[in-house]
Amino acid sequence: MKSIWNGNSVWATVLLSVGLAGAGEMHAIIPRPEKMSVAEGSYTIDSGTVIRISPASRELREIGNYLSGLLGPASGLNVPVKSSWFPKPGGIALTLDRQRKDLGDEGYTLTCTGKGVTIVAAKPAGLFYGVQTLRQLLPVKIESQQKVEGVAWQVPCVMIEDKPRFKWRGYLIDPARNFRTKEELKRYIDLLALHKMNIMQLHLTDDQGWRVEIKRYPKLVEIGSRLPDYGGRKGEGWFYSQADIRELVAYAAGRYVTLVPEIEMPGHCGAVFPAYPELACGGKRPGGWAEPLCVSRDSAEDFATNVLDEVIALFPSPYIHVGADEVPVGPWRKCATCKAAMEQLGKTPLPAEVTVFRVKVSASAGVPFHEDIGRLQGEFIRKIDRYITSRGRQMVGWDEILDGGLKTGSAAVVMAWRGAGAVGGSCGQGHEVIVSLHPDYYLDNDTSLQRTYDYEPVPKDLPPDQAKYVIGVQGNMWGEQTQTARHVDWRTFPRLCAIAETGWTVPGNRDFRDFQQRLVPLKARLDTLGVNSVRP
Ligand code: ACM
Ligand code: ZN
């Protein structure tokens, strides 16, 4: 090693020049690694290459098999996975070293010499991300599903040390508005893995459709998945069975992606009422579709907690998202029981341990700000928060959950979408926050790539003891305008590549011009993977 790298001096001198000065396409990695140095030469993956995992374990074998599966179709090679108790030189070594605590849960080192590639991590997730870096060091044709002749599968000599900035690097997909098949979701899970993203939020329910089977309420999918979708197409029973969800969860876990279910309540749940009209205000199916649950009645809470029980059993995610945005409060004002409950709550001061934070809408957000989310919603959300906590999970909600008030000590995570005020407000109250702002991180609009890339998720004026509550970033691919997977591709990329880099890369290593250069080979890689980049 020393002979190639000459110790730390090479590291130090080459470090800053890589990337910004353009180290060439073969070193163009997105998200940009923390430290990278390059040297002359390369290692060629060929028929003699072996993937060596050490120590032997189910997780490492799965990562080894995943890598072998990535290399196989284009190269025509069947790279074997072998285990050894101690690391051996040569080939591609995936080595777990629990002593490397400095790498955290997801960090890794990758060293390529002329003799082979070694990836070291303290946890399996780090090895998986090292594999994604190795993938991006290989010629883009490695992504082809057909055998490619005449390409040498060379990995340039590099030394990389890398770990993520944030633990939540998310992407929201919206099968409620326009259904996405199980296979389409798997394809997106694969694309997230390529970008070292680790969360896929499934927006499973909304006014246009209910997309997850709940055994206790069979009509949710019998009726709620057959409503016209956002484009008005007749519903055809578009939903995921519980077996489908288990399959998706396992598929995602194999790619170090957590599926976070989002079950909207008490608004954005219009698909419930054609199936169970008794849950609406007035106890009958409303005329419009943007209606809330009639939260003043116990039946709403029973419904919500029964549904959550099944959702929690299906999804191992530590986080359960309950939406809670844009609740249409009009029907509550006309409903006898909701009116009575609101009047009662209005007379009673909020309990001392409840803190309310009104999010000021930012001038740029361009979305309606609902002044009166109401005490009724606050009461309901606090009950749901307690329930999810009692089941050992953490509630996540859009930043409206701050408006109605959360209890001191609540572990609720805020997903901020209505401007940086929501980020600062959450941090100020000690709530973890995911930055998912409109329009910067909304993928269903025409925001420029540079604006998305340059957005800094941690507000500059936030003191470090509050900034630590920012746990990540997320791009939201709302589905109203995306009828087909080709639409989703076209909208998602390349802005998702920018969000991935913000989620992973330390701010000092982010530079838009450098990113644009690195995007050229990533675009070619995405093209080879069949990602559509033109307006359908
Ligand atoms: C949202 O865009 N309503 C979260
Ligand atoms: Zn009501």
Side-chain angles (χ1 to χ4, degrees), residues 161-478:
E161 186 169 329
D162 196 16
K163 60 177 174 321
R165 179 182 182 195
F166 292 119
K167 71 173 180 183
W168 183 299
R169 304 177 301 278
Y171 174 71
L172 175 148
I173 195 156
D174 177 10
R177 269 55 173 271
N178 273 299
F179 187 61
R180 302 270 66 92
T181 65
K182 195 169 58 174
E183 294 314 315
E184 287 169 351
L185 293 188
K186 286 184 181 173
R187 178 170 167 271
Y188 262 82
I189 291 166
D190 286 334
L191 290 168
L192 295 184
L194 169 64
H195 292 80
K196 301 189 178 81
M197 298 188 79
N198 63 351
I199 300 274
M200 180 189 264
Q201 179 172 331
L202 293 175
H203 187 73
L204 288 168
T205 63
D206 212 301
D207 299 324
Q208 292 73 23
W210 187 282
R211 308 291 182 214
V212 55
E213 178 188 22
I214 302 294
K215 303 263 190 214
R216 190 170 175 142
Y217 300 98
K219 285 190 282 185
L220 286 173
V221 292
E222 281 164 24
I223 296 174
S225 76
R226 293 183 176 277
L227 306 171
D229 68 9
Y230 205 91
R233 284 180 307 175
K234 195 168 162 299
E236 289 174 6
W238 292 309
F239 71 94
Y240 311 109
S241 68
Q242 296 207 346
D244 289 338
I245 296 287
R246 285 193 198 93
E247 185 182 325
L248 285 165
V249 164
Y251 189 86
R255 282 136 190 90
Y256 291 84
V257 171
T258 299
L259 296 186
V260 175
E262 182 188 2
I263 307 293
E264 280 268 18
M265 60 184 81
H268 279 287
C269 56
V272 169
F273 307 122
Y276 296 99
E278 62 275 21
L279 293 167
C281 284
K284 59 180 197 309
R285 182 175 174 174
W289 40 261
E291 299 281 325
L293 287 172
C294 182
V295 289
S296 58
R297 285 185 284 170
D298 290 346
S299 51
E301 201 182 321
D302 291 344
F303 171 77
T305 53
N306 289 335
V307 167
L308 287 172
D309 277 345
E310 291 194 33
V311 168
I312 285 169
L314 279 174
F315 289 89
S317 162
Y319 305 100
I320 304 293
H321 202 305
V322 298
D325 55 321
E326 300 180 308
V327 180
V329 293
W332 289 349
R333 293 216 175 86
K334 294 192 203 116
C335 163
T337 54
C338 286
K339 257 196 325 203
M342 280 198 275
E343 273 162 29
Q344 187 55 37
L345 287 167
K347 285 190 207 132
T348 329
L350 273 178
E353 75 273 20
V354 171
T355 39
V356 179
F357 178 84
R358 271 197 187 275
V359 175
K360 299 269 186 305
V361 74
S362 82
S364 63
V367 288
F369 175 49
H370 295 264
E371 270 300 327
D372 185 7
I373 292 297
R375 290 179 166 224
L376 203 50
Q377 171 166 2
E379 277 282 299
F380 180 75
I381 289 298
R382 286 191 292 277
K383 283 183 195 158
I384 297 299
D385 185 14
R386 272 200 295 276
Y387 190 76
I388 291 176
T389 305
S390 77
R391 292 291 179 273
R393 308 294 177 93
Q394 237 175 315
M395 184 182 86
V396 188
W398 298 105
D399 58 57
E400 282 92 334
I401 62 174
L402 292 170
D403 298 346
L406 288 166
K407 268 179 68 130
T408 318
S410 153
V413 180
V414 177
M415 192 164 266
W417 72 285
R418 293 182 299 168
V423 180
S426 309
C427 293
Q429 289 190 11
H431 287 285
E432 289 182 331
V433 56
I434 298 141
V435 179
S436 190
L437 291 199
H438 178 278
D440 309 72
Y441 288 176
Y442 273 43
L443 297 166
D444 57 331
N445 61 34
D446 289 324
T447 304
S448 75
L449 178 62
Q450 179 156 14
R451 177 170 171 163
T452 297
Y453 187 85
D454 284 344
Y455 190 79
E456 168 46 42
V458 178
K460 286 200 175 39
D461 51 354
L462 219 54
D465 64 332
Q466 292 189 19
K468 69 178 186 205
Y469 290 113
V470 177
I471 60 165
V473 293
Q474 179 165 296
N476 296 333
M477 184 59 253
W478 296 107

